[in-house]
Amino acid sequence: MNHESLMKIENIILRRGSVTVLGIPELHVQRGRILALIGPNGAGKSTLLLMLAGLLKPEQGKIYFQNSSVESRADLTRLRRNVSVVFQEPLLLNSNVFENVALGLKFRKVKNEEIKTRVWQALEYFGISHLEKRSARALSGGEAKRVSLARAFAIKPQIILLDEAFNSLDPPSRETIIDDLKNTLVETKITAVLALHDREETLRLAQDVSVMNNGKIVQSGTTTEVFNHPDSEFVANFVGTETILEGTVKSCSEGNIVVSVYGKEIAAIGDCSIGQKVYCCLRPENVTVFSQKSGKSSARNIFEAKVTKIIRQGFFNKLILDCGFPLVAYVTITSCEDLGITQGATVVASFKATSVHVINKNGYL
């Protein structure tokens, strides 16, 4: 599906001294969708957000907002009036919650009755109507974050930008605030760009993803495309493809390939030539683990494996397996108990050929 671009940047260059901190040929922010900028610390996510907000000017290139290039002071003012930014720290005034949420509306000289209506609606979005008269100084970290989000939505912006907005929150607060944010974005249909570091947050919130590294966008697409079909080993690592195996294509016929990895053969789908060096990438949720006695699998890849390590992760166990090559799988705590899977146990691991994403060592296949 094609979507209209609300914002677009072309051939952006930004340097600090002799260092290029942003070098982005093209980025589209599609109207009504949620875009996540992900990447390691120092990748340039926050710098790009500041540029999209009109708070940082590129040395080269153009920013387009609603199909018009942002060049004059009037263009910049129009952009800023239609953008809300939520920084890592809430940055609240020393006044009550109502006054903080109303701040942007007062700057825009909105009438008092309209201010009351919009503030009340924004407070309800984030479940803080009861805090209307509370001093900002008396808020918890989670409450302060909700106030900063409500303030951002109260002006009904065309686009909202969030910079690592959940980092400092405790897990329960983070969970509920992410849910409220997602529901509010869906209800209001406001376009959003979120700088995120957490894979789970990205999967829960974003429809589109741009992966950044060293000031560049190394892959863009829908969340499903990027997470399941990474273009490079770097992207595969970053989006949580925990098994990345280097191998050599042994055979290739009508889109079915066999890759030799550590002397074992892995069946996959792809078009490449015999002898080609590739990476076989596999997400842990696509690996099935069962005991040797518990039946057969229809998958083309079936390997006996030793459980070398078990790591508890929420309701799942992360199993580190030795199949003659390293393999990572997620298995529920209950399944591990039912199957008697313990460290040092021998199990059978299987995965479908269609679950193996193949990357040419020199680029995307």
Side-chain angles (χ1 to χ4, degrees), residues 18 162 251 318 355:
S18 60
L162 286 85
S251 68
K318 176 178 173 178
S355 295

Side-chain angles (χ1 to χ4, degrees), residues 25-100:
E26 188 176 54
L27 174 68
H28 292 262
V29 180
Q30 296 177 338
R31 187 184 293 274
R33 289 176 70 82
I34 304 168
L35 167 66
L37 304 175
I38 64 173
N41 292 331
K45 304 185 296 293
S46 298
T47 304
L48 179 53
L49 276 187
L50 290 173
M51 192 169 288
L52 292 173
L55 300 174
L56 197 59
K57 187 176 180 181
E59 290 178 28
Q60 291 176 225
K62 287 190 175 183
I63 299 172
Y64 293 86
F65 178 63
Q66 295 176 322
N67 297 320
S68 299
S69 62
V70 179
E71 296 183 27
S72 68
R73 186 178 293 274
D75 295 334
L76 197 56
T77 299
R78 184 174 67 91
L79 171 63
R80 289 176 178 171
R81 287 181 68 86
N82 284 285
V83 173
S84 281
V85 186
V86 180
F87 296 102
Q88 291 186 41
E89 297 302 321
L91 303 174
L92 301 181
L93 298 178
N94 183 20
S95 56
N96 65 27
V97 167
F98 182 96
E99 292 299 322
N100 271 283

